[in-house]
Amino acid sequence: MHTSADQVSGTRRVDELLAEMTVAEKVAQLGSFWAKDGAAEGDVAPMSQELGQEAPGFDAAIEGGLGQLTRTWGTTPLTPEQGIAAMRERQRRVMAANRFGIPAVAHEECLTGFTAWGATVYPTSLAWGATFHPELVHDMARAIGEDMAGVGVHQALSPVLDVVHDYRWGRVEETIGEDPYLVGTVGAAYVRGLEDAGIVATLKHFAGYSASVAALNHGPVRMGRRHFRDVVLVPFEMALQVGGARSVMNSYTDVDGVPCAADRWLLTDLLRGEWGFTGTVVSDYFAIRFLQSAHQVAESKGDAAALALSAGLDVELPGTDAFADLAAQVASGAVPEEVLDVAVRRVLEQKAELGLLEPGWEPRLDAAADIDLDSPRNRAIARQLAEESIVLVANDGTLPLAATTRVAVIGPVAADGLTMMGCYAFPNHVLKHHPGVEAGMDLPTIAEAVAGEFAATTFTQGCAIDGDDASGIDEAVAAAAAADVAIVTVGDIAGLFGAGTSGEGNDAPDLRLPGVQHELVERVLASGTPVVLVVSSGRPYALGGLAERCAAVVQAFFPGEEGAGAVAGVLSGRVNPAGRLPVGIPRVSGAQPWTYLMPPLGRRQKGNTSLDPEVMFPFGHGLGYTDFEVSDLALSSDEIAPDGSVEIAADVTNTGARAGVHVVQLYLRDEVAQVTTPVKRLVGYARVALEPGETRRVTFALHADRTSFTGLDHTRIVEPGWFTVWVGHSSEDLPLSGRFRIVGDVRAVGHDRELLTPVTIA
């Protein structure tokens, strides 16, 4: 591999620094500081108020140096002038406080866009998954990265690559979906966009967080190594190998009794040894302290620091807490200085890569007058993403509505623009703690957007999102009775740790709509007026008993600041929906079905159980305002070698009267394997734009590596045998099927295997 002169110079500088630094100066590079000047009360991280009170002042924290500056822009509302001044002053003080003049890495959150006041709020990650459009997600991430880089930020604490396991989990909205290939392809595109903008992308939460027992935030994970490798870890592999991510953040949880922040197998043997990762591992906020206080695998903060460092964790966020005791741990011999040096070298090498060790470095800060964090470019991307993410789940022909339709907009989601946003959007994440501060952007509501599409529109809220007050439902029923169509909007308001119905710390007991929203829908249905049910939520809710009686069902997953217009556009037909479900929609609220990636005994069983675990609307499902057919399936061969490939081709035709986009999906089944495998799993997909009557041929190049799984001896293998492939419209609507066989010996594969299924459209 070619080594540039800059790399050689950076390595030499790191060697020089390590040779000169004292233990205290080395430890300083592994810490961080969270300045909360002007921050209001309220947690924006687990126990941030309680644990943050113990943090030292800035001068004490930066003595001898500092690893990272925590959320200069994302803690309190700052104008561009204020943010630039704060970033410049903090970096000046950090550099002056250490004899080497080393600045800090500045990190920020950006899960739904740069988490800063007035910055564009894009759709949530679950909405990215609904688009099945990695290229567009890349463009969004590139725009986010460029905005962040322009105001002195170096590292982004995104994306979330957790694969959904239980829809009740509060952070489902932050995920991309329930399929590892969808999560991996979309997540890798997001990573590539950030990295193309010069921002260090941080993969989280490594690993297993979304599979906690009972969907409890921070709950333990009881999972075997095989499922861990074949489902949980795959998106992380893809984001590293395909996306080029340079940082990883540990999960709060423990897997089979081992906390991820102290798991050397995970953070060193696998991540660095097997996968060859050379970047930095940063702690989730307060995760090292949690080794002592929550997991109880350490007696003291110093012991927790020693455990984490020895496991392979490099930087403590959001402040220097447990790692403050590392110098004493080195002095006592509990932590060899060589172990400390390994982490410090990684941090310094990344700083060198970012240019922070260059003589005369100054923070890159655009002029305040030139900064537009909600630019027309950003809003255009946000609008396209929102429109492509809306899923038309059901439709009896009522949609699209004619412009002359008398519309009654009903429901709590239509009343508030914040219902379009996830919990890491600045207005929900930070501004909730600053009442009276304006959002800094235009946030239209669904009620306003629908009124812009249909002249004869009324609005009645009916009820709140949460709570048991049903006193407004009678008024809503009356409004519906006077209209041609009732658009009933239900779902979530995102927040943190109980300040919402979705988001971090807002885990649900079941999948019934929050509050009295189910009753609202029932009562409006009983009015006799056709109901179009619009759900804007962070998780799928059980719609059995409701969806069957609705004229149409539209699902949005927090579609961002342009989301209200996207929803209204789908209702009017201005937008031809092409979104597909990245998670299934359950029929019943209490069955808690697992995802579609179940082996045979996880599916519906006759005679063995009275429980039906099947969802109402499956992964990959979605309708539009035209019709598509797939036909003429052909496989290039019915036999391939264990290192060979097969081409799987099919025609897709727009048989309707309107141009549209279809998401063609390829699924695979290993017919007989040495361990149980999913009944079917997604191995390829393609968005195909077609004019009415147009046909195009889609060809998937499926490498034998894509059939691999973790075998009995925990080695990933390609195993000879027969495989079924399907091409179709969703995980349950697959009209085309074929078979091929792998012939030869069992072949072991590793991290360098083929992770993607290339697609050509002719």
Side-chain angles (χ1 to χ4, degrees):
M1 183 175 67
H2 176 70
T3 302
S4 69
D6 287 343
Q7 288 174 310
V8 172
S9 175
T11 300
R12 185 182 302 117
R13 178 61 176 148
V14 170
D15 290 340
E16 293 171 352
L17 288 169
L18 280 171
E20 293 183 51
M21 282 181 165
T22 65
V23 168
E25 288 170 333
K26 292 175 182 178
V27 169
Q29 291 299 314
L30 308 186
S32 56
F33 184 81
W34 194 356
K36 294 188 178 181
D37 304 331
E41 293 295 317
D43 284 330
V44 292
M47 301 177 68
S48 62
Q49 289 294 314
E50 178 181 338
L51 295 177
Q53 291 175 358
E54 304 174 17
F58 191 43
D59 289 337
I62 65 176
E63 186 176 348
L66 186 69
Q68 296 215 4
L69 283 168
T70 294
R71 300 188 64 177
T72 296
W73 290 85
T75 300
T76 190
L78 298 175
T79 65
E81 292 82 1
Q82 291 169 329
I84 287 172
M87 185 69 77
R88 179 177 287 114
E89 176 61 14
R90 286 169 187 166
Q91 288 286 28
R92 183 195 67 76
R93 291 172 63 183
V94 169
M95 294 170 69
N98 71 92
R99 58 195 178 102
F100 307 104
I102 303 172
V105 169
H107 77 254
E108 295 287 348
E109 299 279 3
C110 64
L111 192 63
T112 61
F114 181 21
T115 305
W117 184 73
T120 304
V121 178
Y122 297 90
T124 58
S125 312
L126 202 56
W128 313 344
T131 70
F132 279 71
H133 197 168
E135 297 82 5
L136 180 58
V137 172
H138 168 276
D139 293 345
M140 173 194 68
R142 178 71 183 257
I144 293 170
E146 289 174 353
D147 284 345
M148 295 172 76
V151 295
V153 178
H154 309 104
Q155 182 165 355
L157 303 189
S158 291
V160 170
L161 297 181
D162 296 296
V163 178
V164 175
H165 284 72
D166 190 324
Y167 305 145
R168 296 173 300 169
W169 191 49
R171 304 188 79 165
V172 166
E173 66 170 72
E174 299 180 46
T175 73
I176 296 169
E178 67 183 44
D179 179 87
Y181 188 66
L182 177 65
V183 175
T185 49
V186 172
Y190 179 90
V191 166
R192 187 71 268 153
L194 286 179
E195 294 284 352
D196 284 348
I199 295 293
V200 175
T202 307
L203 311 182
K204 60 187 193 182
H205 305 89
F206 195 63
Y209 192 17
S210 59
S212 59
V213 295
L216 293 174
N217 192 38
H218 298 195
V221 173
R222 297 296 175 254
M223 176 188 295
R225 187 63 57 86
R226 191 170 289 107
H227 181 87
F228 195 61
R229 279 186 172 274
D230 289 353
V231 175
V232 171
L233 292 179
V234 167
F236 292 93
E237 286 189 88
M238 296 177 72
L240 292 173
Q241 182 171 307
V242 179
R246 289 179 285 172
S247 189
V248 170
M249 174 183 281
N250 74 281
S251 166
Y252 283 123
T253 193
D254 70 82
V255 179
D256 196 23
V258 182
C260 295
D263 190 345
R264 184 170 176 81
W265 173 82
L266 180 67
L267 301 183
T268 297
D269 298 346
L270 174 80
L271 180 62
R272 299 191 183 279
E274 188 175 324
W275 291 359
F277 178 65
T278 59
T280 56
V281 177
V282 302
S283 81
D284 207 341
Y285 285 14
F286 309 111
I288 300 176
R289 169 75 80 90
F290 290 163
L291 293 175
Q292 175 200 14
S293 62
H295 295 292
Q296 298 178 10
V297 296
E299 290 188 8
S300 66
K301 287 197 298 181
D303 292 338
L307 276 175
L309 187 73
S310 299
L313 203 152
D314 302 317
V315 178
E316 182 175 25
L317 303 180
T320 309
D321 179 29
F323 270 14
D325 292 348
L326 276 178
Q329 293 286 314
V330 172
S332 71
V335 173
E337 189 169 353
E338 310 87 77
V339 173
L340 175 66
D341 285 353
V342 168
V344 178
R345 176 176 290 280
R346 291 172 187 148
V347 169
L348 292 176
E349 285 177 345
Q350 194 154 88
K351 287 190 174 185
E353 190 176 59
L354 291 167
L356 304 185
L357 302 187
E358 294 177 4
W361 178 89
E362 291 185 0
R364 173 188 165 185
L365 296 167
D366 293 343
D370 297 331
I371 294 173
D372 184 356
L373 297 178
D374 193 28
S375 65
R377 173 201 65 170
N378 292 4
R379 292 200 78 114
I381 295 172
R383 185 178 309 114
Q384 185 179 352
L385 262 166
E387 291 176 353
E388 292 188 9
S389 73
I390 306 298
V391 183
L392 179 59
V393 176
N395 185 22
D396 67 0
T398 297
L399 293 182
L401 300 173
T404 55
T405 305
R406 292 179 304 154
V407 173
V409 179
I410 294 167
V413 165
D416 187 350
L418 295 180
T419 61
M420 298 291 98
M421 301 181 177
C423 75
Y424 271 81
F426 193 88
N428 281 335
H429 195 72
V430 177
L431 281 188
K432 281 188 176 180
H433 305 301
H434 296 268
V437 177
E438 295 182 354
M441 64 185 70
D442 181 29
L443 298 179
T445 66
I446 288 180
E448 292 166 343
V450 170
E453 302 274 351
F454 306 97
T457 300
T458 62
F459 169 65
T460 308
Q461 183 166 325
C463 67
I465 286 175
D466 209 0
D468 59 4
D469 183 1
S471 60
I473 294 181
D474 286 344
E475 183 183 355
V477 172
D484 298 326
V485 173
I487 299 171
V488 183
T489 65
V490 296
D492 285 316
I493 182 71
L496 294 165
F497 311 111
T501 58
S502 175
E504 187 173 358
N506 293 310
D507 311 314
D510 58 40
L511 296 173
R512 184 180 173 90
L513 287 165
V516 296
Q517 293 183 78
H518 188 100
E519 180 183 347
L520 172 69
V521 182
E522 287 276 13
R523 293 277 307 281
V524 175
L525 281 166
S527 73
T529 299
V531 170
V532 174
L533 184 64
V534 175
V535 185
S536 179
S537 60
R539 63 168 63 86
Y541 283 104
L543 298 182
L546 300 179
E548 306 96 321
R549 297 151 59 200
C550 291
V553 178
V554 175
Q555 174 70 60
F557 293 109
F558 291 149
E561 65 182 44
E562 293 286 342
V567 170
V570 167
L571 298 175
S572 70
R574 176 174 52 81
V575 175
N576 188 357
R580 298 295 183 267
L581 290 175
V583 289
I585 293 179
R587 184 178 303 278
V588 295
S589 64
Q592 309 308 341
W594 198 33
T595 69
Y596 90 101
L597 289 175
M598 289 183 279
L601 289 181
R603 303 299 298 267
R604 183 184 291 114
Q605 302 176 46
K606 291 184 179 179
N608 290 342
T609 174
S610 60
L611 180 64
D612 181 357
E614 303 298 327
V615 295
M616 189 175 193
F617 300 103
F619 173 84
H621 169 74
L623 307 174
Y625 296 144
T626 189
D627 297 313
F628 299 93
E629 290 183 358
V630 291
S631 61
D632 296 328
L633 180 74
L635 276 64
S636 61
S637 176
D638 61 2
E639 284 190 1
I640 64 172
D643 61 352
S645 295
V646 58
E647 290 190 345
I648 302 158
D651 287 344
V652 55
T653 302
N654 183 346
T655 60
R658 178 171 176 173
V661 173
H662 191 48
V663 179
V664 182
Q665 300 164 45
L666 173 67
Y667 292 84
L668 174 80
R669 166 67 176 152
D670 191 338
E671 295 183 10
V672 179
Q674 60 182 250
V675 299
T676 62
T677 58
V679 171
K680 61 175 73 79
R681 61 185 176 91
L682 184 73
V683 291
Y685 61 88
R687 287 175 53 87
V688 186
L690 294 166
E691 294 296 322
E694 184 182 8
T695 297
R696 301 188 74 179
R697 192 150 183 85
V698 179
T699 302
F700 299 95
L702 186 74
H703 194 278
D705 288 359
R706 302 287 292 112
T707 72
S708 67
F709 60 90
T710 302
L712 286 171
D713 65 353
H714 292 283
T715 300
R716 178 173 284 278
I717 58 172
V718 173
E719 186 179 42
W722 283 98
F723 297 84
T724 299
V725 290
W726 295 271
V727 173
H729 315 293
S730 76
S731 58
E732 294 297 317
D733 185 2
L734 298 166
L736 304 181
S737 66
R739 298 174 77 213
F740 69 92
R741 182 170 63 164
I742 294 179
V743 179
D745 297 327
V746 173
R747 171 172 164 259
V749 297
H751 179 58
D752 59 349
R753 70 188 184 281
E754 293 293 332
L755 294 171
L756 300 175
T757 302
V759 185
T760 56
I761 302 172

